[in-house]
Amino acid sequence: MTRTETPAEERLREQLRPEKPFARFRWTVTILLAAAFAWSALTIDARWDRLAQIPERTWNFLGLLIQDASLGPLVIALEAMWESVAIAWVATLIGVVISFPLIFLASVNVANRWVVLVVRQVLNLFRAIPEIVLAIAFIPFFGLNPVTAAVAMGVSSIGTLGKLSAEIVEGIDRGPMEAVAASGGGWLAKLRWGVLPQAMPEIAAFWLYRFEINIRVSAVLGVLGIGGIGTFLTQAAQRNYYDRIGLGLLVVIVVTMLIDGASARLRRRIINGPPGELDQKREAAARVQISGDET
């Protein structure tokens, strides 16, 4: 039987218990973030009193969209949206083709650490420049056309795809690579048989995810007048064609949701395999564990 503590012993234990440490780092970061937010809010030239007008203005805008709703420009809106999707697809292909060899040169478990350092800085450079800045820089070379948007998003995709994919390669199991090296395989053989079978499903999933992002970015770059649904909406807004604005927004929402849903299902299929395969793998692992416990 356990002995019950007396009231005197409980008071003594409470006195001897160490005090809860003061979370100095957490409070310091919180205060700094709050100060930075306050400084930003006070120094930027913004009319904060207009925030209260957002509900009324939004309601009026929606009223104009519904009042002038029309399916007349539907074909034009769909063509513009298809152009945005095509731009995003070409941009994704540019990012995939250029970033793929850089993935292995940016992984510490595959390449030399000095090579990794240089390649990672190159990828960081691509990621540091926004797509709209790249598009403006490429306008003198390609003009105001979809090629500018595709190249700008493609260059930006190189950095993101390269960095995320390199992190996937760094997280793989080293066993297959060591087995290939033990059997006399060279660097390329280790990539082919030790790295790609493990990393490619998740890398391909990232490629699809980047395609979804590029669709949204292409709509934003269209504001520059380089094509796509963004240009369609910008021209309609400049002329106060509310029927085209509402229809264009509806097309963007519906098409983006459909592509996101299809891409999500395809990503799950790539990572988990055909339906039922993941459950079979789990059952096989459970049977192996049970047999091991029995022995």
Side-chain angles (χ1 to χ4, degrees):
M1 295 180 61
T2 58
R3 188 176 65 86
T4 304
E5 293 183 346
T6 62
E9 290 176 338
E10 291 181 0
R11 289 194 298 269
L12 179 61
R13 182 165 53 84
E14 291 292 336
Q15 294 175 358
L16 296 177
R17 179 181 298 173
E19 295 182 1
K20 183 178 179 180
F22 178 70
R24 183 177 291 104
F25 177 77
R26 184 180 61 186
W27 281 105
T28 302
V29 172
T30 302
I31 293 173
L32 289 177
L33 291 176
F37 174 79
W39 178 80
S40 302
L42 294 174
T43 54
I44 61 175
D45 186 15
R47 294 282 302 276
W48 298 108
D49 56 314
R50 294 185 176 181
L51 291 176
Q53 303 175 6
I54 290 179
E56 179 182 358
R57 290 178 177 269
T58 302
W59 181 257
N60 294 336
F61 180 71
L62 292 176
L64 291 173
L65 296 183
I66 296 174
Q67 178 182 354
D68 297 336
S70 173
L71 294 178
L74 178 61
V75 175
I76 301 176
L78 290 175
E79 290 178 351
M81 189 64 204
W82 170 251
E83 188 175 42
S84 292
V85 174
I87 292 171
W89 181 251
V90 173
T92 305
L93 290 179
I94 293 174
V96 167
V97 171
I98 299 179
S99 68
F100 187 73
L102 300 178
I103 294 173
F104 311 105
L105 300 178
S107 305
V108 294
N109 58 339
V110 175
N112 180 275
R113 62 189 184 95
W114 294 108
V115 176
V116 171
L117 179 61
V118 174
V119 175
R120 284 190 175 182
Q121 297 308 314
V122 174
L123 295 177
N124 290 334
L125 177 62
F126 287 137
R127 294 173 54 244
I129 306 176
E131 291 89 348
I132 192 168
V133 175
L134 289 171
I136 294 174
F138 289 144
I139 286 177
F141 299 95
F142 304 107
L144 289 172
N145 56 67
V147 177
T148 302
V151 174
M153 289 190 296
V155 172
S156 180
S157 299
I158 296 172
T160 304
L161 293 177
K163 180 180 183 298
L164 295 177
S165 301
E167 292 178 353
I168 294 174
V169 172
E170 291 178 349
I172 64 172
D173 183 10
R174 292 177 176 266
M177 297 177 60
E178 295 173 355
V180 174
S183 62
W187 188 73
L188 292 178
K190 289 193 294 185
L191 294 182
R192 172 62 183 86
W193 304 107
V195 176
L196 290 180
Q198 300 185 71
M200 275 309 299
E202 293 191 33
I203 291 177
F206 271 124
W207 291 347
L208 290 173
Y209 182 64
R210 183 64 199 189
F211 171 58
E212 298 175 21
I213 295 176
N214 284 340
I215 293 177
R216 298 173 177 83
V217 176
S218 66
V220 176
L221 294 183
V223 176
L224 298 177
I226 54 182
I229 192 66
T231 300
F232 174 85
L233 290 172
T234 301
Q235 294 175 351
Q238 291 173 347
R239 296 173 174 83
N240 292 329
Y241 292 163
Y242 290 101
D243 57 337
R244 294 197 171 198
I245 296 175
L247 189 61
L249 293 175
L250 181 62
V251 168
V252 170
I253 294 172
V254 173
V255 173
T256 302
M257 290 179 63
L258 290 175
I259 293 178
D260 286 354
S263 177
R265 295 188 62 180
L266 185 56
R267 287 201 308 270
R268 287 195 297 268
R269 177 65 181 270
I270 292 174
I271 295 176
N272 299 331
E277 182 175 335
L278 183 60
D279 295 334
Q280 295 175 2
K281 293 179 179 179
R282 290 174 177 172
E283 292 178 1
R287 287 195 297 267
V288 171
Q289 184 177 2
I290 292 173
S291 62
D293 294 338
E294 291 177 351
T295 57

